[in-house]
Amino acid sequence: MLRLNPELLLRAYAAGIFPMAQSRDDPELYWIDPEWRGVIPLDAFHVPRRLRRTVRQGRYEMTADTAFKEVVDACAESTRGRPDSWINDEIAAAYAELARLGHAHSIECWLKGKLVGGLYGVSLGGAFFGESMFSRERDASKVALVHLVARLRRGGYALLDTQFITKHLEQFGAIEIPRDDYRQLLSAALEVEGQFAVPMSQDDIERVMVGQGNDT
């Protein structure tokens, strides 16, 4: 069986496909190429009013790329709403190597020194492929998503791929597009050189929250 490695993963993402396991304990991997793809248009990201208040209150301390492994491990944990995970040991190890090479990143959300939320994904050119998120405190993963979008916009990214679409993501403006349309967006985004490690300020966050569609 072909094992995951950074080169294989980056080639797959550039072609519009990604791996998943059937369960946390299943060693077999499946390559996914959805007919309909979830994306969040970066220029039409919607932040609900209550979440804007939470972000502005500054309850959580936010960091990037300081606890990648811990975020992945938390995303792979069983929860009441998600009894199993598609993140097996091989996926976790392969994405940790991608992070070491600068092609995978995490956003972390802390409360009193404890990791309470976050997300991680893959960066290639001007495309960011969101993989998974978790939350142990109210709205922690949502706050992480707001910070991710601000960072992607600040860093000149052109595409935020959510792979699939859920009710949770729809509230932020996520839409589904056909595979062919997605590949056109992906091709254009790969020509862009996005920068994840950019200086961030509260103004960058605020610009996301007062952007298009954020009136409700």
Side-chain angles (χ1 to χ4, degrees):
M1 182 173 63
L2 190 63
R3 311 306 296 184
L4 289 184
N5 61 67
E7 181 183 1
L8 175 62
L9 280 170
L10 293 178
R11 287 194 350 244
Y13 278 96
I17 60 178
F18 54 89
M20 295 181 73
Q22 190 70 32
S23 68
R24 178 76 184 269
D25 298 324
D26 187 349
E28 189 171 356
L29 296 174
Y30 301 88
W31 291 100
I32 311 298
D33 183 14
E35 182 178 354
W36 289 84
R37 195 73 165 233
V39 300
I40 296 179
L42 290 170
D43 59 354
F45 183 66
H46 176 261
V47 184
R49 182 176 296 167
R50 185 178 62 81
L51 181 58
R52 272 179 272 160
R53 289 198 299 268
T54 300
V55 173
R56 287 169 176 151
Q57 287 168 357
R59 181 184 183 211
Y60 301 118
E61 178 187 354
M62 305 305 300
T63 57
D65 289 342
T66 67
F68 184 87
K69 181 182 183 300
E70 292 85 347
V71 169
V72 174
D73 289 345
C75 288
E77 290 176 355
S78 298
T79 65
R80 183 167 53 185
R82 185 185 60 197
D84 208 345
S85 170
W86 54 268
I87 303 171
N88 65 10
D89 289 343
E90 184 174 0
I91 286 176
Y95 285 78
E97 181 64 12
L98 271 186
R100 189 184 70 80
L101 296 173
H103 283 292
H105 301 282
S106 59
I107 300 289
E108 302 94 21
C109 187
W110 306 85
L111 181 63
K112 298 179 180 178
K114 294 183 178 181
L115 184 65
V116 296
L119 56 83
Y120 78 97
V122 173
S123 175
L124 186 59
F128 191 89
F129 309 87
E131 288 296 314
S132 189
M133 59 176 57
F134 80 99
S135 186
R136 293 170 179 159
E137 291 284 340
R138 182 174 178 177
D139 290 339
S141 63
K142 297 176 183 178
V143 174
L145 181 59
V146 172
H147 279 256
L148 172 68
V149 170
R151 183 170 290 271
L152 297 183
R153 288 174 52 165
R154 181 75 169 82
Y157 282 78
L159 175 64
L160 174 52
D161 173 5
T162 67
Q163 299 178 345
F164 303 106
I165 193 168
T166 63
K167 291 293 184 183
H168 175 75
L169 293 174
E170 282 181 340
Q171 67 183 305
F172 298 103
I175 59 173
E176 276 188 321
I177 59 175
R179 181 188 294 144
D180 289 346
D181 291 353
Y182 169 77
R183 287 178 175 167
Q184 289 182 20
L185 290 178
L186 175 60
S187 178
L190 293 177
E191 298 297 319
V192 175
E193 192 57 46
Q195 298 292 329
F196 193 85
V198 291
M200 296 291 296
S201 70
Q202 187 59 38
D203 287 344
D204 294 313
I205 307 299
E206 194 63 30
R207 277 191 285 271
V208 169
M209 294 196 293
V210 299
Q212 180 180 349
N214 287 342
D215 56 349
T216 59

